[in-house]
Amino acid sequence: MSLFRRNIEIDINPGTDGQLILITTLTDLYHDIRLTLQISSVTYEITEASLDMNRIPHPDCPAIEAKVTRLKGAQVGPGFTKQVLSVLGGEKGCPNLTNLVMLSAPLAMNAAAVLKQKEENLSEAEMDALWQKVLGGVCVAYPRQEGE
C-alpha cells in the first residue's frame, strides 16, 4: 500500500488564434488544484493564467491564486525559470504551483510543433528539422547545430 501518491496530468489543446490551452492538474491526499495556461503557439508567451483550488492543505493557500495572473506576459524560453520563481517562489509562493508551471509551460513548444505538423502535413524530414529548431541545444537527442 502506498503511503503517499501524487498525480499530475497535463492536457494540451489548440485554442483560437494560434493559442494553446494547457490544463495541468495535481491531485493527492492534500491537493486538488488545476492550473490553466493559455500560451501562444508562435511566441510561447503566456497570454492567460488561472488557478482553481478545490482541495488545499492550509487556509492560506488561496493567497497564491492572485499571483498566478502575474505570469501573463512571461515567455517560455531563456530566463523563464527566473521569471516563474520571481512570481511564485519564496516564502510567499508555492513550490507545488511553481513545479506545475515549470513542468507544463515548456510543453507548449512540443505541442506547437505537433500542431504545425498536423496543419501543414509535414514530412518526416521536415518534422525532424522542426524538432531540431524547437529542441536544439536543450535536449541530448537534439544537440545545438553549428549556426544556431
Side-chain angles (χ1 to χ4, degrees):
M1 179 177 164
S2 175
L3 181 61
F4 186 85
R5 179 182 307 265
R6 171 169 286 173
N7 293 301
I8 296 173
E9 185 172 305
I10 303 168
D11 191 31
I12 305 174
N13 291 291
T16 57
D17 298 325
Q19 299 291 307
L20 298 166
I21 309 300
L22 289 77
I23 299 171
T24 307
T25 57
L26 179 150
T27 54
D28 63 28
L29 183 62
Y30 303 107
H31 301 87
D32 180 2
I33 61 177
R34 175 182 165 140
L35 170 70
T36 303
L37 299 174
Q38 187 168 308
I39 300 178
S40 166
S41 65
V42 176
T43 65
Y44 308 120
E45 180 181 327
I46 297 175
T47 56
E48 295 293 334
S50 64
L51 182 66
D52 297 307
M53 303 177 95
N54 300 310
R55 182 173 54 246
I56 52 175
H58 193 276
D60 289 341
C61 291
I64 199 70
E65 285 184 81
K67 290 186 171 207
V68 170
T69 61
R70 291 180 31 210
L71 291 171
K72 189 174 178 178
Q75 189 172 16
V76 178
F80 182 69
T81 299
K82 189 178 238 181
Q83 287 180 294
V84 173
L85 289 173
S86 73
V87 173
L88 300 175
E91 62 186 55
K92 301 268 187 205
C94 173
N96 290 314
L97 187 54
T98 300
N99 290 337
L100 291 183
V101 172
M102 295 306 303
L103 183 63
S104 64
L107 291 175
M109 299 170 85
N110 299 65
V114 171
L115 184 62
K116 185 174 178 105
Q117 179 186 32
K118 287 181 182 249
E119 289 176 344
E120 299 178 18
N121 197 25
L122 299 178
S123 69
E124 187 176 336
E126 291 169 320
M127 203 56 204
D128 285 344
L130 180 58
W131 284 125
Q132 181 62 47
K133 180 180 176 187
V134 170
L135 298 174
V138 297
C139 174
V140 67
Y142 297 95
R144 186 171 310 279
Q145 300 292 317
E146 287 187 41
E148 286 185 5

